[in-house]
Amino acid sequence: MSMRTRIGRFLPFLRSAEEKFFDKTYDARIAEVTHLYGDEQKQQRMRGYFDRTPEEIDREQKDNIRIFYDVMLGIARTFKPRTTMQLGCFTATELQWLRTHDIGGTLIAADHSPDYLEFLEAGFAKTPFAGFQYRCFNLDKATAADFADVNMVTGMAVLSNIQPESLDQLFGAMASAGVQVVIIGDMYVAASLGSASSTAKSYPLAGSRNWAHPYRAVARRHGYNVDFMPCFTYSSFKEARGVWLLTRDIEETFRRDAFSFAIGHYFERQQQMLDTYSSANGG
């Protein structure tokens, strides 16, 4: 526990908004996160996004430093999902990668706001990504019906926003609906990587309203195999991020092949990616 946190317990007025967040009720925390990721904020960040050229889209993907996307492509190539859903879609980046790399099946963008989903659908209408489907539900209140007909789910930098009380329900909903593959890219702390269900807990992340969740323990509770690897990102010097590949009722070779492909694909684009990373950070 940091000295600031200790002092804050006795002098509450010194505590930041982020520190106070974790003391709020379950519903209050959900409401605050929903407000922070509201339609207006997201739409402002999307200005000009739908006007990208094919060359800009290609460069954007090749420059992406996260190996999460390579793992996602690896499992999708072998598993060949019937329907893939991206959670907390924002820019629908995962779905764009799948479409660009000719991964077939239905592609669904999910978000808590119907208005934002309409905004995305209209924006993508005249782009190579027209034809995505859209589904509205709140991740903190997910049910099996929300994942109807979905057998692969992706979630990059989204599940750390849901509340600990919601995690078991979310994983139970996916398992009950028959989701066989889940790829998570998010933050972790050492203690959150354990597999023991009896001691599993979520950890508040300093300086944010995010949680390091015990994905491995909760996923195993619902019958998923769990593979994990660290993920290097622009923020790696401030926080640890990783990739969790959750699978149920699929061949073990699919999992091995996914990571084998991911390493090879990451190496192929590494030179350009690191040159871009270096120049953007003063190299």
Side-chain angles (χ1 to χ4, degrees), residues 75 227 245 251-262:
I75 192 64
D227 298 297
L245 176 61
E251 298 178 28
E252 183 177 347
T253 55
F254 285 7
R255 295 155 56 197
R256 296 181 183 273
D257 290 347
F259 285 102
S260 177
F261 172 87

Side-chain angles (χ1 to χ4, degrees), residues 79-211:
F79 177 57
K80 296 179 172 52
R82 176 183 64 254
T83 301
T84 301
M85 173 185 285
Q86 177 181 338
L87 303 178
C89 57
F90 190 22
T91 60
T93 301
E94 289 111 284
L95 303 186
Q96 292 184 51
W97 274 67
L98 294 173
R99 172 71 62 81
T100 300
H101 290 83
D102 299 318
I103 302 300
T106 302
L107 302 175
I108 302 176
D111 192 80
H112 64 86
S113 168
D115 292 338
Y116 185 70
L117 292 176
E118 289 182 7
F119 167 79
L120 276 188
E121 185 171 16
F124 281 133
K126 296 182 179 180
T127 77
F129 308 112
F132 289 163
Q133 294 190 16
Y134 299 87
R135 192 172 295 182
C136 184
F137 67 95
N138 190 320
L139 282 174
D140 278 292
K141 307 289 185 180
T143 68
D146 295 320
F147 297 97
D149 302 318
V150 173
N151 61 345
M152 188 169 98
V153 167
T154 72
M156 161 54 74
V158 61
L159 294 189
S160 57
N161 290 302
I162 73 170
Q163 302 312 306
E165 299 93 328
S166 307
L167 195 65
D168 195 70
Q169 178 177 331
L170 173 62
F171 279 54
M174 291 191 291
S176 296
V179 176
Q180 294 171 269
V181 174
V182 183
I183 309 104
I184 300 169
D186 228 312
M187 295 174 282
Y188 68 92
V189 295
S192 67
L193 295 178
S195 62
S197 181
S198 59
T199 57
K201 61 177 287 188
S202 299
Y203 295 85
L205 291 166
S208 74
R209 293 171 175 82
N210 298 93
W211 300 87

Side-chain angles (χ1 to χ4, degrees), residues 201-249:
K201 61 177 287 188
S202 299
Y203 295 85
L205 291 166
S208 74
R209 293 171 175 82
N210 298 93
W211 300 87
H213 290 306
Y215 300 120
R216 186 163 172 246
V218 177
R220 285 163 60 96
R221 185 186 304 157
H222 291 283
Y224 286 99
N225 296 303
V226 184
D227 298 297
F228 170 82
M229 70 183 302
C231 184
F232 179 69
T233 73
Y234 287 95
S235 59
S236 287
F237 301 105
K238 297 181 179 180
E239 58 201 16
R241 290 183 178 267
V243 181
W244 292 258
L245 176 61
L246 284 49
T247 55
R248 278 172 53 110
D249 304 323

